[in-house]
Amino acid sequence: MPELSPESIEYFRTLPRRRVAAGLVIRDDAGRILAVKPNYKDGWLLPGGTVDAGEAPRNAARREGLEELGLDILPGALLIIGHSTFPDPIGDGLNFLYDGGVLAPGTEISLQEEELTEWRFVTVAELPDYFGPHGAFHITSALKGLREGRVIELRDRDEIV
């Protein structure tokens, strides 16, 4: 990293900060989506989580898959980049979802008990019940990106074309 002047450091401190998350869209051979239930909040999530400082989103998705599920999944194609705006204290966030592939029948999942209580495969029709409207929109957009072979950029609940 280049040496920064005190003025540059002050300038960079004034720039906005965003939370960044990365996750995996993992499916079974019936096309259902793997959902995990956290113990620290209501609802369900995709496997994934916060990107650590200095970590690339793709690396974070792989790390989270290993930590949360005991599966070393090499993330495939980037499916969505989602920008979400929430009021304080949550604030803005960026979400990267990657193709987590199709799990072979009988694949053993070792759930991370410190954060997760349960996992299951859910149908596309069930997504709003498990993930709420915002999460369901992200996942259905990721599935669209997978079908169309492209990255879809999202802003809140809108696709940017």
Side-chain angles (χ1 to χ4, degrees):
M1 180 172 180
E3 181 134 351
L4 298 176
S5 69
E7 295 81 15
S8 292
I9 292 171
E10 284 307 310
Y11 166 74
F12 282 110
R13 287 189 175 141
T14 68
L15 296 178
R17 306 261 178 202
R18 286 185 170 82
R19 292 171 297 101
V20 179
L24 296 167
V25 179
I26 301 169
R27 298 159 323 280
D28 68 4
D29 56 1
R32 297 176 300 169
I33 310 303
L34 181 67
V36 295
K37 184 163 183 45
N39 61 15
Y40 53 86
K41 67 183 248 179
D42 291 334
W44 293 70
L45 301 169
L46 290 175
T50 300
V51 176
D52 292 337
E55 183 178 41
R58 181 177 297 277
N59 293 352
R62 184 176 186 181
R63 174 183 53 77
E64 289 285 347
L66 188 57
E67 289 175 2
E68 293 183 349
L69 306 172
L71 301 174
D72 189 10
I73 295 173
L74 212 61
L78 176 61
L79 302 174
I80 71 161
I81 300 171
H83 174 262
S84 299
T85 306
F86 294 100
D88 282 336
I90 299 171
D92 291 356
L94 284 174
N95 187 21
F96 294 78
L97 289 183
Y98 295 91
D99 180 8
V102 176
L103 285 188
T107 299
E108 189 169 326
I109 292 176
S110 228
L111 209 58
Q112 181 187 37
E113 294 178 4
E114 297 82 21
E115 290 184 22
L116 305 173
T117 61
E118 192 176 344
W119 68 271
R120 67 177 60 159
F121 285 104
V122 300
T123 66
V124 171
E126 296 173 310
L127 292 176
D129 297 332
Y130 283 85
F131 297 94
H134 187 81
F137 176 71
H138 276 226
I139 298 166
T140 56
S141 297
L143 294 172
K144 178 181 177 183
L146 184 63
R147 281 191 311 274
E148 296 178 0
R150 68 184 181 105
V151 177
I152 295 180
E153 187 177 351
L154 305 176
R155 178 183 54 235
D156 291 314
R157 292 193 191 146
D158 295 319
E159 180 179 335
I160 299 173
V161 225

